[in-house]
Amino acid sequence: QVQLVESGGGLVQPGGSLRLSCTASGNIFNINVMAWYRQAPGKERELVARISSGRITYVDSVKGRFTISRDNSKNTVYLQMDSLKPEDTAVYYCNANLRATWRDNYSNYWGQGTQVTVSL
């Protein structure tokens, strides 16, 4: 059983910062890609940032403001969010593409989501 648990969301004023964390636990043989997605009310879920060995990508709207990082020893991915804007308000979801055992194929797992609200 694999679980992804996120933390770090909350309410912040425009221009402020938040740091999200997501830790994968359970039967994990290897993690390939870890990523953050978000979904705002009435909108589709979108990829915010992803990190794999040696490669990081961001959606254009967060470039220069958000930083994704990863601690492989802890199966944890972080999202440092600076200069937050009201349009960053959304539920943020952690995603991991991993193999539970050496016999398994890679599969996608999701966290439960954490609310980020940017408002005065």
Side-chain angles (χ1 to χ4, degrees):
Q1 192 84 7
V2 176
Q3 278 191 316
L4 272 61
V5 178
E6 301 123 333
S7 62
L11 172 64
V12 64
Q13 293 185 353
S17 298
L18 282 174
R19 188 190 194 211
L20 305 183
S21 300
C22 170
T23 299
S25 63
N27 291 328
I28 298 172
F29 176 73
N30 176 257
I31 301 177
N32 180 19
V33 179
M34 299 191 83
W36 289 96
Y37 287 73
R38 67 185 178 186
Q39 188 166 19
K43 296 188 176 181
E44 293 187 355
R45 190 174 296 190
E46 69 168 348
L47 176 64
V48 176
R50 69 193 299 269
I51 182 168
S52 60
S53 54
R55 187 169 183 178
I56 292 175
T57 58
Y58 298 97
V59 66
D60 286 346
S61 60
V62 308
K63 285 180 181 177
R65 301 187 299 120
F66 289 11
T67 303
I68 190 171
S69 61
R70 180 172 167 179
D71 185 338
N72 291 329
S73 67
K74 298 179 180 179
N75 290 335
T76 298
V77 63
Y78 306 95
L79 186 67
Q80 177 66 40
M81 305 185 293
D82 299 317
S83 302
L84 282 160
K85 304 176 180 180
E87 51 264 43
D88 295 317
T89 296
V91 177
Y92 284 70
Y93 297 91
C94 174
N95 171 271
N97 182 254
L98 61 87
R99 298 168 69 185
T101 72
W102 65 270
R103 286 183 291 254
D104 294 320
N105 294 320
Y106 283 100
S107 297
N108 278 319
Y109 294 83
W110 292 90
Q112 79 285 356
T114 184
Q115 177 70 46
V116 171
T117 302
V118 185
S119 179
L120 291 171

